């Protein structure tokens, strides 16, 4: 943990991030999930304009699969949106976003599922219809580097893609069958 501060979360304690604070999980074969995966977290963003990194695979020179929120308007993806980019080993981008679903200063459970060359976004347990997508694809995803929580490690100015707010209960599962609706409900019930 670099710079992030332990604070209250949804499930026990979570971390508060700002200006380049992050957690780095070293690369390992167990993180490289090309046969399908579910990535999810509880977030409470502060509404900082622009790109806020929740999680991103990054080797320090380039990035791979990542999950972000964005506050403000973006010409391609809308306003206050959840965004994922599944970058493959050939450097091709496979993007998906859902506009108008992210709220500042409120806890929300967000998720990304990938399986069968398709990918889906979730907020508070509900699979959402994308407002933008590059569509299905067949490729090997770039997930063979370190996994960063809260920042883009390859930025010269890390605060440019820093997450401002709280992140709790980040998880990466090696299958897409995780029931995010039940997980959301059980966390809310305590």
């Amino acid at each position: 943990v670099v710079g992030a501060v332990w604070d209250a979360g949804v499930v026990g304690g979570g971390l508060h991030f700002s200006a380049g604070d992050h957690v780095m999980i070293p690369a390992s074969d167990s993180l490289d999930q090309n046969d399908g995966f579910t990535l999810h977290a509880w977030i409470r963003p502060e509404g900082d304009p622009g790109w806020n990194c929740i999680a991103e695979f990054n080797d320090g020179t380039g990035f791979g699969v990542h999950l972000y929120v964005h506050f403000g308007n973006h010409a391609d993806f809308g306003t206050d949106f959840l965004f994922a980019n599944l970058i493959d080993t050939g450097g091709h981008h496979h993007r998906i976003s859902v506009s108008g679903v992210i709220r500042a200063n409120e806890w929300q459970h967000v998720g990304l599922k990938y399986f069968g060359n398709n990918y889906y976004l979730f907020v508070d347990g509900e699979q959402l219809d994308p407002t933008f997508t590059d569509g299905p694809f067949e490729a090997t995803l770039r997930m063979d580097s370190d996994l960063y929580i809260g920042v883009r490690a390859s930025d010269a100015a890390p605060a440019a893609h820093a997450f401002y707010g709280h992140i709790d209960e980040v998880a990466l599962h090696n299958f897409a069958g995780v029931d995010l609706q039940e997980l959301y409900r059980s966390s809310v019930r305590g």
Side-chain angles (χ1 to χ4, degrees), residues 6-15 167-169:
W6 287 102
D7 200 357
V10 173
V11 181
L15 289 170
I167 301 177
D168 189 14
E169 296 295 307

Side-chain angles (χ1 to χ4, degrees), residues 20 33 36 43-45 68 88 94 103 114 125 130 143 150 161 163 170 174 178-179 183 188:
Q33 302 298 330
I43 62 168
R44 188 175 188 267
Y68 275 67
D88 64 38
H94 310 284
R103 298 178 304 276
Y114 167 77
M143 299 178 78
H161 288 92
F163 188 91
V170 177
N174 63 354
V178 175
D179 186 341
L183 202 143
V188 170

